[in-house]
Structure formats: C-alpha cells, structure tokens
Amino acid sequence: MNVGLVSNSFSSITNGNGALSSAKTNAENSKFMDLLKSMQEKNKENDVDAGKSSLSSSQISANGRLNGDYTSGFAGVYNSEQDRQSNPVGAAANQSGVHGVSKKIDRTSELYEKSMELENYFVKQMLSEMRKTVMKSKDSDFAQQTYEDMLFDEYSTMMTKNAGFGLADQIYLSLV
C-alpha cells in the first residue's frame, strides 16, 4: 500500500487538518519528553547528593503508605500499654493455646497493623458485594461513584477498627 496515497486521502478528508493535528501532537510529545528528561536528570542529581544509589519516591512514607492517602488507616490506632498485652476478641477469643491458655496480642506491633489491613480488605470486599444488591433509581456519574468508593473504603476501615470481628486477631495469632 502506498503511504503517500493514504496520507493524501486522509488530508483530503480532514481538509488538511490532519497534518496540522499531527504536527501539534509531535510538538507536544517532544516538549513532554524534554520535561521528563530534565526531571530525571534532576532526580539523579538529588540522589547523588543524598548518597542514594537509585531513584526513590519521596511520596512513600516510612510505613509504606502514600502521602495524601485519603483513608485514615491503622497506624497509631493502638498505642497504650494495655494494648501491648491484650486478649484476643471476636472469633479469635475462642481459640486457646496449649492447655487452654490464650495467647496475648501486641496490638501496637506492625504485624498486627498489617493483619488489620488484611481484615480491612475482606470487609471492603464484603461491603462491595453488599452495595451491588442496592437498587439505584438513576445512573450515577463518575464523581459520585468515586466519592461512594472512598466513603465505603472509610466505612470498612471504621468497621475493622470498631466492630471486633476478630479476623485480624486470628491472622496475628497464626503468624506469631
């Protein structure tokens, strides 16, 4: 197939605007690539100055959460001395260790925080399936759907913190 024939046909269809549009797109791509290269060079300079060997994101905090994350999360939920040696709750309270002695849970540990995040994931899945059963009278737009998703994410976080399902306790006890 002749490329010149195709481009001439395209130009005749678009009244010559195809070439103009293509030129604009190429110019924008070139500007973007230049910007990207300058940012990468700046990051490399900053990494060398800071003694880093590779690029790292300044947007990831020490505990792995993103700065500006909209959910409240589980960091710092438990911080008292009683939380270091607490009894399991929920279904995990029924599990007992050797000779009927139940294990203690350190709710201030990072392992327990990650266990709560896993429980939160399961609660979020449960709420998502429950939301599918609700009949809506009209179609919602993208913004409303995004807001509802964020709202239900926060609902699942609050339920995980306060409902006492005990799944995080079971996960923690199985990993200790």
Side-chain angles (χ1 to χ4, degrees):
M1 179 189 270
N2 189 350
V3 175
L5 179 63
V6 172
S7 65
N8 287 340
S9 299
F10 182 69
S11 290
S12 66
I13 293 172
T14 61
N15 294 327
N17 290 334
L20 180 62
S21 176
S22 177
K24 285 181 180 179
T25 302
N26 288 339
E28 288 175 5
N29 285 341
S30 176
K31 286 180 185 178
F32 177 75
M33 293 307 290
D34 290 341
L35 176 64
L36 184 61
K37 285 179 186 177
S38 69
M39 291 175 66
Q40 287 174 340
E41 289 172 6
K42 185 177 178 182
N43 280 337
K44 286 180 184 177
E45 291 171 5
N46 289 341
D47 287 346
V48 170
D49 292 342
K52 297 178 185 174
S53 61
S54 66
L55 293 175
S56 64
S57 175
S58 63
Q59 290 152 345
I60 298 177
S61 63
N63 62 359
R65 291 179 51 92
L66 294 175
N67 290 336
D69 205 356
Y70 61 87
T71 59
S72 56
F74 301 102
V77 172
Y78 299 104
N79 53 15
S80 70
E81 197 58 39
Q82 291 86 9
D83 293 330
R84 293 189 187 279
Q85 292 293 320
S86 62
N87 292 321
V89 297
N94 297 331
Q95 294 179 346
S96 58
V98 179
H99 306 295
V101 178
S102 87
K103 296 179 182 178
K104 298 292 183 182
I105 295 177
D106 181 7
R107 296 184 194 281
T108 61
S109 70
E110 187 175 347
L111 178 62
Y112 189 75
E113 182 181 328
K114 297 303 178 189
S115 300
M116 286 185 67
E117 288 178 9
L118 185 58
E119 179 180 342
N120 182 41
Y121 176 76
F122 290 129
V123 171
K124 193 181 302 183
Q125 291 300 316
M126 178 186 68
L127 289 177
S128 174
E129 292 302 316
M130 291 170 67
R131 279 178 62 196
K132 290 179 184 177
T133 65
V134 176
M135 299 290 277
K136 294 186 178 182
S137 61
K138 63 176 184 167
D139 291 335
S140 58
D141 61 350
F142 180 74
Q144 183 177 358
Q145 289 173 355
T146 302
Y147 175 75
E148 285 179 0
D149 288 343
M150 292 169 60
L151 179 67
F152 277 86
D153 286 349
E154 193 62 27
Y155 282 161
S156 68
T157 302
M158 289 297 124
M159 287 177 70
T160 301
K161 287 179 185 177
N162 300 317
F165 292 122
L167 183 59
D169 291 2
Q170 286 180 325
I171 294 167
Y172 178 84
L173 290 173
S174 68
L175 294 174
V176 174

